[in-house]
């Protein structure tokens, strides 16, 4: 038993930030008075079924509370950074182990979790995702371990006599056939969502570690890599052909489910657990109508899938409630509690004791293809200076004809280098 485990105690109540969205949720002690902890994350992340479940469990068993500071996805990185910079950092910070995390001065702000009792219950893959280059565990991976790809309405395809694609050329033909039949081929949520481009970038750098090293040493840029331009041009041309529909620039997170549930759009680039956590029931089509094929963005001729990115619960080591925040993580890492939270959720295990989660039939049916074509998430987690929001801004300018394909790639480079410089990255 380490010093922290011996010396645990109940803490006093902390005042929530004025901007916080209060959610009853959290604690581990039954003592009078309780404790209120602050948790900061993206609004869409904090609304996941399993997050709500673990929060509710924590409150019901202890009587303590959480104040949730929830920022819209496009505002999150900047707003969260401003809170840390102004000494209004939360007790618990939810973030992915990606390039954006570097702006938060990880070693100075966050508690390394190497010695926590629950570490041995993490699967090897989950632990590896949350570990930095020096072997320090940065957070508790309380998240869905999903498979990202192109999820398509097989019922619609069958009704039209069409088949899923296995090559980029076949995918292009499929998109045009769907457009000709009056469907939106791809629900592309350009109005606030930013993950789609990383699926195309992943194969470029996952398949060529030397290329990844060169861009991270500032020896080359995106503009020097033909595949990046190929992807950007394909996306621009797809938009111009109507493959994303007429309102894709206004389509955001909340619009994906209605679009594909109604059948207006046939495909979307997303992850399997989305169908459990965010796909709305009562539409014309249900999750049973969908299947999985690779993402095709003109960078991998046979397509690609992206392995899971895991949202981590990180503890602010400079906060007033470090011990209590660590207690909260221990509560979340309890086998009884996480199994209740993830009951019925389609996800690959993050914990060795995880038994109530299920594996999506869409993924199991495509298991051979996934095994052959899956890449580890690379763009968002390993490219120095990468920011999904910055990439989305560059593409937005291109979509709105403020720049062309080459200009979009230059903007991606400029944003990436600028962010790397802000982070004080070596070589920049």
């Amino acid at each position: 038993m380490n010093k922290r485990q011996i010396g645990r105690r109940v803490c006093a109540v902390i005042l929530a930030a004025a901007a916080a969205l209060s959610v009853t949720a959290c604690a581990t002690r039954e003592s009078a008075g309780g404790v209120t902890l602050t948790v900061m994350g993206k609004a869409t992340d904090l609304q996941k079924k399993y997050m709500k479940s673990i929060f509710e469990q924590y409150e019901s068993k202890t009587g303590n509370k959480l104040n949730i500071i929830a920022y819209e996805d496009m505002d999150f990185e900047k707003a969260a950074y401003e809170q840390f910079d102004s000494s209004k950092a939360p007790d618990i910070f939810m973030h992915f182990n990606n390039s954006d995390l570097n702006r938060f001065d990880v070693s100075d702000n966050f508690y390394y979790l190497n010695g926590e009792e629950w570490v041995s219950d993490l699967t090897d893959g989950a632990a590896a995702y949350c570990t930095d280059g020096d072997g320090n565990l940065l957070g508790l991976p309380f998240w869905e371990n999903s498979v990202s790809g192109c999820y398509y309405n097989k019922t619609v395809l069958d009704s039209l006599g069409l088949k899923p694609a296995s090559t980029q050329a076949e995918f292009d033909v499929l998109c045009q056939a769907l457009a000709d039949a009056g469907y939106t081929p791809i629900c592309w949520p350009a109005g606030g969502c930013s993950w789609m481009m990383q699926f195309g970038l992943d194969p470029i750098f996952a398949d060529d570690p030397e290329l990844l090293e060169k861009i991270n040493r500032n020896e080359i840029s995106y503009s020097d890599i033909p595949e990046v331009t190929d992807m950007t041009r394909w996306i621009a041309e797809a938009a111009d052909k109507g493959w994303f529909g007429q309102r894709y620039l206004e389509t955001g997170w909340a619009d994906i489910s209605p679009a594909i549930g109604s059948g207006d759009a046939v495909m979307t680039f997303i992850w399997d657990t989305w169908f459990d956590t965010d796909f709305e029931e009562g539409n014309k089509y249900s999750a049973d109508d969908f299947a999985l094929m690779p993402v095709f963005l003109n960078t991998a001729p046979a397509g690609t899938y992206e392995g899971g990115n895991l949202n981590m619960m990180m503890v602010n080591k400079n906060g007033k409630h470090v011990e209590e925040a660590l207690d909260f993580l221990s509560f979340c890492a309890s086998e009884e509690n996480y199994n209740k939270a993830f009951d019925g959720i389609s996800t690959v295990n993050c914990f060795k004791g995880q038994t109530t989660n299920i594996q999506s039939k869409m993924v199991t049916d495509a298991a051979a293809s996934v095994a052959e074509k899956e890449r580890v998430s690379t763009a968002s987690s390993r490219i120095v200076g990468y920011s999904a929001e910055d990439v989305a801004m560059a593409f937005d300018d291109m979509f709105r004809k403020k720049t062309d394909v080459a200009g979009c790639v230059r903007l991606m480079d400029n944003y990436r280098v600028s962010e790397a410089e802000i982070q004080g990255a070596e070589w920049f």
Side-chain angles (χ1 to χ4, degrees):
M1 182 176 293
N2 60 34
K3 184 186 296 183
R4 191 189 70 76
Q5 292 159 346
I6 294 173
R8 289 181 176 178
R9 58 182 174 78
V10 181
C11 67
V13 176
I14 184 173
L15 293 177
L21 169 65
S22 295
V23 175
T24 301
C26 213
T28 57
R29 305 301 183 195
E30 298 179 351
S31 306
V35 61
T36 299
L37 298 175
T38 54
V39 178
M40 182 183 291
K42 292 182 179 180
T44 54
D45 292 346
L46 294 164
Q47 291 300 311
K48 301 293 187 184
K49 291 179 182 178
Y50 45 86
M51 298 306 302
K52 289 181 178 180
S53 173
I54 199 66
F55 292 165
E56 290 166 0
Q57 288 184 66
Y58 198 45
E59 179 192 46
S60 67
K61 293 181 180 181
T62 66
N64 294 345
K65 298 180 184 295
L66 276 183
N67 279 329
I68 303 297
I69 306 173
Y71 293 111
E72 293 303 316
D73 290 14
M74 289 295 288
D75 301 326
F76 173 70
E77 298 296 344
K78 180 180 179 181
Y81 177 78
E82 289 174 350
Q83 293 298 306
F84 274 86
D85 193 49
S86 63
S87 300
K88 295 180 181 179
D91 298 303
I92 299 162
F93 185 52
M94 293 191 64
H95 205 286
F96 293 86
N97 189 12
N98 56 25
S99 180
D100 284 327
L101 184 61
N102 293 328
R103 73 180 74 191
F104 293 96
D105 197 351
V106 174
S107 61
D108 285 344
N109 283 321
F110 299 106
Y111 187 98
Y112 292 149
L113 301 166
N114 307 343
E116 297 303 291
E117 289 182 334
W118 45 262
V119 173
S120 61
D121 191 36
L122 297 180
T123 63
D124 291 344
Y129 179 87
C130 298
T131 301
D132 68 11
D134 296 321
N136 296 306
L137 188 69
L138 303 180
L140 172 70
F142 199 88
W143 201 243
E144 58 204 47
N145 198 352
S146 54
V147 177
S148 295
C150 178
Y151 288 84
Y152 66 95
N153 191 323
K154 61 185 179 182
T155 302
V156 170
L157 261 61
D158 288 346
S159 72
L160 297 173
L162 299 173
K163 297 183 180 299
S166 59
T167 67
Q168 182 70 54
E170 290 178 1
F171 187 73
D172 291 353
V173 171
L174 174 62
C175 287
Q176 191 57 54
L178 289 169
D180 291 343
Y183 291 91
T184 296
I186 305 168
C187 177
W188 186 276
C193 298
S194 57
W195 64 79
M196 298 82 73
M197 285 70 74
Q198 72 192 49
F199 298 159
L201 293 172
D202 280 348
I204 300 173
F205 298 99
D207 296 354
D208 191 342
E210 184 177 348
L211 196 64
L212 179 63
E213 182 178 354
K214 286 181 178 179
I215 201 165
N216 284 341
R217 291 173 64 94
N218 205 20
E219 295 174 357
I220 60 171
S221 65
Y222 288 141
S223 299
D224 298 317
I225 304 171
E227 293 89 345
V228 176
T229 298
D230 292 343
M231 179 193 75
T232 306
R233 180 180 295 108
W234 186 92
I235 293 172
E237 292 178 352
D240 289 342
K241 292 174 183 175
W243 291 358
F244 301 159
Q246 299 305 309
R247 296 183 56 82
Y248 71 98
L249 288 173
E250 289 76 47
T251 298
W253 175 263
D255 303 308
I256 304 173
S257 181
I260 69 166
S262 66
D264 291 340
V266 179
M267 302 181 286
T268 195
F269 298 163
I270 209 157
W271 42 93
D272 57 316
T273 50
W274 177 86
F275 284 89
D276 290 306
T277 58
D278 294 276
F279 186 60
E280 299 170 358
E281 299 296 332
N283 289 306
K284 180 178 180 180
Y285 297 100
S286 71
D288 293 337
D289 291 296
F290 289 84
L292 172 63
M293 65 175 154
V295 166
F296 294 96
L297 283 172
N298 208 32
T299 60
T304 186
Y305 303 95
E306 185 184 65
N309 288 286
L310 304 177
N311 213 337
M312 307 180 296
M313 293 180 177
M314 306 174 68
V315 171
N316 173 15
K317 72 178 184 181
N318 302 312
K320 296 179 180 179
H321 303 296
V322 176
E323 297 297 320
E324 293 75 19
L326 291 167
D327 283 346
F328 172 65
L329 265 61
S330 295
F331 181 93
C332 296
S334 162
E335 187 171 326
E336 176 185 357
N337 298 332
Y338 64 63
N339 271 319
K340 183 176 181 180
F342 284 97
D343 187 15
I345 299 294
S346 294
T347 176
V348 178
N349 287 20
C350 284
F351 301 96
K352 294 174 183 175
Q354 211 164 345
T355 59
T356 57
N357 55 303
I358 60 175
Q359 185 65 63
S360 164
K361 186 175 186 298
M362 292 177 279
V363 172
T364 57
D365 286 348
S369 177
V370 172
E372 178 185 358
K373 300 166 185 174
E374 185 179 41
R375 273 90 170 178
V376 66
S377 178
T378 303
S380 67
S381 60
R382 302 186 181 184
I383 296 176
V384 172
Y386 186 89
S387 166
E389 288 75 16
D390 286 348
V391 173
M393 285 196 299
F395 272 79
D396 187 74
D397 277 1
M398 181 181 69
F399 289 144
R400 297 180 188 278
K401 308 303 181 185
K402 296 179 181 179
T403 190
D404 57 10
V405 170
C408 179
V409 175
R410 283 195 299 271
L411 281 173
M412 289 168 60
D413 271 326
N414 292 342
Y415 291 145
R416 176 183 57 83
V417 171
S418 177
E419 181 59 34
E421 290 173 345
I422 290 171
Q423 295 172 5
E426 189 178 8
W427 312 111
F428 289 86

